[in-house]
Amino acid sequence: MKLGIVGAGVAGLAAALACARAGIAYDLMDRAAHPLEGGVALTLWPNALRALCDLGVDVRAEAGWVPMEEGDIVDMRGRTLYRLPLRWMEARFGFLPVCVRRAELLRRMHGAAGSPRIEIREVRRVVEIDRGVVVAWDGGRMEYDGVVLADGIRGGARSSVVEARTRPTHYLAWRGIARGVDVGRRMREIWGRGFRFGYAAMGAGDVYWFATVNRSLLERAGDAAETWRTLGALAAESPPEVARMMAATPMQAVYTHDIFDLAPGLPLAVGRMALLGDTAHAITPNLGFGGGLALEDGAALLQALALYRVAEESERLAGALQTYAAVRRRRVARMAYVTRFMGDVMQWEGKAAGQARDVLFRSLAPLGDRLVWRWMMGG
């Protein structure tokens, strides 16, 4: 019994951990020469940390992984719109959120899986055959009992199995890590008009930050330098920590990108193939739940593999994967709808709309937030 795992990002390594704990052999492959490097940072909410624990990685004592103790949303003048109930989350779910470098998370997961070799393969096609699946790449092919597809939102392997529709958003994003800035153990979002800035402490004076700006505000920006100046002008109107963080971030380390998601409804299992993470349900990063959903996928896959005793009875793999898909289908679809909707609301640009949004959050968000957060964390 051996599975092929296509992709060595968060979802692929979650699948590797699931296989390792279920006693199933696997090959791990990725198109990148250094798949454990790159990216910026991830916020891991309690649902993500719980899933990591289920996969055998308890980061509560991890050196340098600093839990967030304060969190809020404020307007451009620094007035509080909403306070995150972080201590309640800790009491209810057992964890405070943490923010970590993506590369650190990947290395920790890779090590926990036994540091498996990652084959450099750009998989072009995946085809199910009788009692197995063929994985084909330039210059080679391999047959497995089953395959996990975790090659990302534009995955080439996934596209050979099922077509997916990517959806653009109307805003652009920047991400970076400021050095030598002390914000305590805090996470915060600042909401403007067509502009947001968020940050989270990472420990040792490092702070992860992101910014989003509506394209309508960037129409006159002719190149990347002008776009950056537009962002700087918006930052200057924000609370003072925004400009301070941007100034403390090396320009070459700022990652600028468009934001896309996948239209909900992709199958999470097709025969003896499973789809995990962004490959199956890429969501907008507005609530910071994308990586957490991938980790949840891995934990659900582990549970299904163990329930069906796939390591001993390989013919039960298809049933296990269908169970995994059934468990995850509704949750990931709902999160796709919610994160996209919330992103649109957060980016409201009109003065009247922005004021209405701020008033609603200030007055109504605390009334039902415990119910909402329980739903967001998966129960």
Side-chain angles (χ1 to χ4, degrees):
M1 175 66 182
K2 193 173 191 180
L3 299 183
I5 301 175
V6 182
V10 175
L13 290 172
L17 285 166
C19 288
R21 289 180 68 82
I24 295 173
Y26 62 91
D27 282 344
L28 185 60
M29 57 200 88
D30 195 282
R31 62 178 174 269
H34 304 286
L36 302 183
E37 300 176 7
V40 186
L42 296 169
T43 299
L44 300 178
W45 292 95
N47 64 308
L49 297 170
R50 181 179 60 210
L52 268 176
C53 276
D54 291 343
L55 291 167
V57 184
D58 190 343
V59 301
R60 278 173 286 196
E62 191 78 18
W65 290 31
V66 178
M68 236 67 62
E69 297 177 350
E70 298 179 68
D72 57 13
I73 299 170
V74 302
D75 65 15
M76 293 287 276
R77 295 171 62 182
R79 296 175 299 189
T80 301
L81 302 178
Y82 175 65
R83 293 191 186 279
L84 297 171
L86 299 186
R87 287 300 180 187
W88 171 82
M89 289 184 193
E90 182 182 29
R92 180 72 172 78
F93 302 108
F95 300 93
L96 288 166
V98 300
C99 183
V100 299
R101 284 176 171 80
R102 180 179 181 274
E104 287 183 8
L105 174 63
L106 295 185
R107 286 194 292 267
R108 181 69 179 86
M109 294 173 68
H110 183 250
S115 301
R117 176 181 175 84
I118 304 175
E119 303 288 346
I120 303 174
R121 298 171 181 170
E122 184 160 1
V123 175
R124 303 288 189 180
R125 189 167 180 79
V126 180
V127 180
E128 188 167 12
I129 59 175
D130 184 39
R131 301 180 65 82
V133 179
V134 172
V135 175
W137 60 93
D138 291 343
R141 65 195 297 274
M142 185 74 73
E143 183 177 331
Y144 296 97
D145 293 285
V147 166
V148 174
L149 299 176
D151 54 344
I153 185 172
R154 302 187 186 279
R158 190 269 321 285
S159 65
S160 71
V161 177
V162 60
E163 289 296 325
R165 179 169 64 89
T166 58
R167 304 185 299 179
T169 62
H170 63 279
Y171 41 93
L172 188 68
W174 291 260
R175 302 175 191 272
I177 296 177
R179 305 292 177 83
V181 178
D182 183 10
V183 296
R185 296 190 172 189
R186 173 189 290 168
M187 60 195 311
R188 167 172 283 182
E189 280 202 15
I190 299 158
W191 290 1
R193 307 291 180 256
F195 164 74
R196 275 185 299 144
F197 190 96
Y199 63 85
M202 303 177 69
D206 291 347
V207 182
Y208 165 67
W209 62 264
F210 74 88
T212 55
V213 178
N214 286 357
R215 291 189 176 281
S216 59
L217 300 177
L218 301 171
E219 289 175 349
R220 297 182 181 179
D223 56 23
E226 290 182 10
T227 300
W228 178 257
R229 283 194 290 272
T230 300
L231 175 61
L234 292 166
E237 300 174 6
S238 307
E241 67 258 38
V242 175
R244 189 166 73 248
M245 287 178 206
M246 290 177 59
T249 307
M251 273 298 300
Q252 65 272 20
V254 176
Y255 177 46
T256 309
H257 63 98
D258 296 305
I259 295 178
F260 294 84
D261 68 0
L262 288 179
L266 279 183
L268 274 68
V270 179
R272 301 174 70 84
M273 295 175 281
L275 284 67
L276 271 68
D278 284 353
T279 305
H281 49 74
I283 63 174
T284 59
N286 295 298
L287 300 175
F289 270 76
L293 290 180
L295 293 170
E296 287 183 16
D297 287 348
L301 178 64
L302 168 59
Q303 188 174 37
L305 294 174
L307 177 67
Y308 279 75
R309 300 177 59 86
V310 172
E312 294 82 20
E313 302 178 60
S314 60
E315 69 276 5
R316 305 187 70 185
L317 175 63
L321 299 186
Q322 287 300 321
T323 295
Y324 150 77
V327 167
R328 298 295 295 154
R329 185 177 297 116
R330 181 175 295 181
R331 172 157 169 76
V332 298
R334 286 178 172 174
M335 290 297 288
Y337 287 118
V338 168
T339 55
R340 190 173 183 93
F341 171 75
M342 288 300 297
D344 290 341
V345 171
M346 293 170 183
Q347 295 291 139
W348 278 353
E349 189 174 330
K351 182 178 179 180
Q355 289 176 341
R357 175 202 63 192
D358 292 355
V359 169
L360 284 172
F361 265 85
R362 185 182 290 113
S363 58
L364 298 181
L367 298 180
D369 63 342
R370 302 304 195 267
L371 289 174
V372 172
W373 280 113
R374 277 198 289 269
W375 178 82
M376 293 281 286
M377 299 298 169

